[in-house]
Amino acid sequence: MTVRSATLIGLSAIVMWSLLAVMTVATGTIPPFQLAAMTFAIGALVGALGLLRRPGAVSSLKQSPLAWAVGVGGLFGYHALYFLALRLAPPAEAGLVNYLWPLLIVLFSSLLPGETLRWHHLLGALLGLIGTALLFAGNAAVQFERDHLLGLAAAFIAAFIWACYSVMSRKLRAVPTDAVAGFCAATALLAALVHVMVEETVWPQSALAWLSVLALGIGPVGAAFYAWDIGMKRGDIRVIGAASYATPLLSTGFLILAGYAQPSLALGFAAVLIAGGGLIAAKDMVWRKRS
C-alpha cells in the first residue's frame, strides 16, 4: 500500500465522522454511554466478521499490554471525556476546544522518526483552526465562563488523548489494523459498564432510530476507526491531521441538508479557510514534482 492510498483511506474516516452528528440526532434520546456501547459493539462486530473471513487473522488480537492500553485508552478515554465535556460545558465551547486535536496531531507528528514538520503543514493546520473557530462563532456566541472550566478541561484532555492515540498508532505500526476490532469491543464493554452506573436505559423509539444506530456502528463508529488506523500508520499523518478540520465543516453541511441547521455567511468563510488550509497542508501530495 502506497503512502498516497493510505492517506486517502485515512481521509475517508473524516468523511464518515462528519455524518456522526446528523446520525446521532436521528437516534433520538439514547443516553450517550449507552449509544457508545451499542455502536462500538457493532463496530467491533464489523471488524470481527473480517477476521473470521481470513484464516489466522484472529491472532492479531494477541497484542502487547502497551498496544491494548493505547488502543482502548484512545477510543474509550477520548469518548468518555468528550461526553463529560458536553455535560459540563456548552456544546459550542466544548467542541471548539476539542477541535484542537487536528493541530496537536500535526505538531506531535514532528516527534516521529522520519517525519518533518514544514511551514505549509503548520500554516494549513492554523488556517483550519481559525476556520473552525469561525464556524463555531457563527453558530453560537462563544463565551468562556468559570463554571465551564471543568468541562473545557475535559474537552482539552480529550483532544490531547486523541492526538496521542493517533500519533502513537504510527509508533505501533507493527500492530495490524485487525486489532482495532478488539479495541472497539473493549470500549463497548467499558461504555456499557459506565452506562449501567450513571444512566437510565432508553431504547430507540422508531425504525429510523434503530437504523441510525446500526449506521453509526457500521460507519462513524466502525469502519472509520479502521480507516483512521490505516491512515495514521501508513499515510501522511500531517496531511490527515490538517484535513481533519474539515470534519466540523462537513458535519454542519450535512446538518443543513438534513434540515437541522441553517446556512450562514460564517459557514462560507469557514469553508474557504478550512479547504484552503487543507490544500496548503497537502501541498507535497497534491502538487507532487514530476521528474
Side-chain angles (χ1 to χ4, degrees), residues 52-65:
L52 294 176
R53 292 177 57 185
R54 287 174 283 112
V58 177
S59 62
S60 63
L61 297 179
K62 297 179 180 179
Q63 298 299 327
S64 67

Side-chain angles (χ1 to χ4, degrees), residues 55-205:
V58 177
S59 62
S60 63
L61 297 179
K62 297 179 180 179
Q63 298 299 327
S64 67
L66 175 61
W68 278 94
V70 171
V72 179
L75 295 181
F76 178 75
Y78 170 78
H79 288 87
L81 282 167
Y82 186 52
F83 289 155
L84 178 64
L86 293 178
R87 287 189 175 189
L88 299 178
E93 286 89 323
L96 179 56
V97 173
N98 179 252
Y99 266 100
L100 287 170
W101 65 259
L103 178 59
L104 293 175
I105 288 177
V106 174
L107 294 176
F108 291 170
S109 68
S110 64
L111 302 176
L112 293 170
E115 300 290 347
T116 302
L117 185 62
R118 299 182 178 176
W119 68 266
H120 56 278
H121 299 127
L122 188 57
L123 177 59
L126 289 175
L127 286 176
L129 178 60
I130 295 171
T132 301
L134 182 61
L135 177 64
F136 279 89
N139 285 285
V142 180
Q143 297 178 349
F144 297 100
E145 300 179 7
R146 292 187 61 183
D147 292 344
H148 302 153
L149 287 179
L150 185 58
L152 297 176
F156 176 77
I157 297 173
F160 185 85
I161 286 177
W162 188 252
C164 290
Y165 163 75
S166 300
V167 175
M168 282 296 291
S169 294
R170 184 65 154 237
K171 295 279 288 183
L172 298 171
R173 61 188 308 166
V175 177
T177 297
D178 288 331
V180 175
F183 303 155
C184 286
T187 298
L189 178 59
L190 289 172
L193 291 174
V194 175
H195 163 66
V196 171
M197 291 188 292
V198 303
E199 296 175 339
E200 292 185 7
T201 301
V202 178
W203 295 110
Q205 301 297 306

Side-chain angles (χ1 to χ4, degrees), residues 188-277:
L189 178 59
L190 289 172
L193 291 174
V194 175
H195 163 66
V196 171
M197 291 188 292
V198 303
E199 296 175 339
E200 292 185 7
T201 301
V202 178
W203 295 110
Q205 301 297 306
S206 66
L208 175 61
W210 277 108
L211 287 173
S212 297
V213 171
L214 181 61
L216 274 173
I218 294 174
V221 192
F225 291 119
Y226 301 99
W228 186 255
D229 190 73
I230 292 173
M232 289 295 101
K233 288 177 177 175
R234 299 178 177 84
D236 191 324
I237 191 172
R238 301 154 304 180
V239 170
I240 298 174
S244 296
Y245 279 116
T247 306
L249 178 66
L250 293 173
S251 178
T252 303
F254 285 125
L255 287 170
I256 290 173
L257 290 175
Y260 295 123
Q262 297 296 321
S264 66
L265 186 61
L267 178 62
F269 282 121
V272 173
L273 287 170
I274 293 173

Side-chain angles (χ1 to χ4, degrees), residues 12-38:
S12 72
I14 296 172
V15 178
M16 286 185 273
W17 285 332
S18 68
L19 293 167
L20 182 66
V22 68
M23 288 184 178
T24 300
V25 172
T27 62
T29 57
I30 303 174
F33 280 101
Q34 179 189 344
L35 184 60
M38 295 170 69

